[in-house]
Amino acid sequence: MDNPVLIFKGEEIEVKKIFYSLFKHETTDEVIRVWYEDFDGYLVYEKCMDSLRKKRKIQYGELFGDYERVWEDECS
């Protein structure tokens, strides 16, 4: 079975799962955009207020323990 392919900043990446969802930290109100899950089991995200849009990694437990999904696009 073929894995999903995501075009991320002009780079074609084969990923385990595409997320493309926004999450807000429960206490700090920091908003992150989770792009995809890589083959090591990490979720790749970027902070919405980071002008460099640096890719970062987070684990499932940390994401779903500290963040909640938001439906509005607060990064715009």
Side-chain angles (χ1 to χ4, degrees):
M1 187 169 111
D2 292 332
N3 292 308
V5 174
L6 177 71
I7 307 295
F8 187 78
K9 298 181 185 177
E11 179 183 352
E12 191 172 296
I13 303 170
E14 190 173 352
V15 300
K16 189 171 182 180
K17 181 178 178 181
I18 296 174
F19 269 77
Y20 197 69
S21 298
L22 296 175
F23 291 84
K24 183 184 279 187
H25 194 275
E26 293 176 350
T27 57
T28 65
D29 288 336
E30 173 188 55
V31 178
I32 63 173
R33 177 175 282 133
V34 178
W35 289 98
Y36 60 90
E37 179 184 3
D38 66 13
F39 290 106
D40 294 327
Y42 287 97
L43 302 172
V44 176
Y45 75 97
E46 66 185 23
K47 294 181 179 183
C48 288
M49 298 304 292
D50 181 8
S51 61
L52 299 176
R53 300 181 66 189
K54 179 181 173 184
K55 287 193 282 187
R56 304 164 192 266
K57 293 185 178 188
I58 191 170
Q59 295 179 338
Y60 269 98
E62 186 179 352
L63 177 69
F64 291 108
D66 298 338
Y67 291 83
E68 62 182 47
R69 186 185 302 257
V70 293
W71 299 106
E72 308 85 34
D73 188 351
E74 297 184 22
C75 287
S76 301

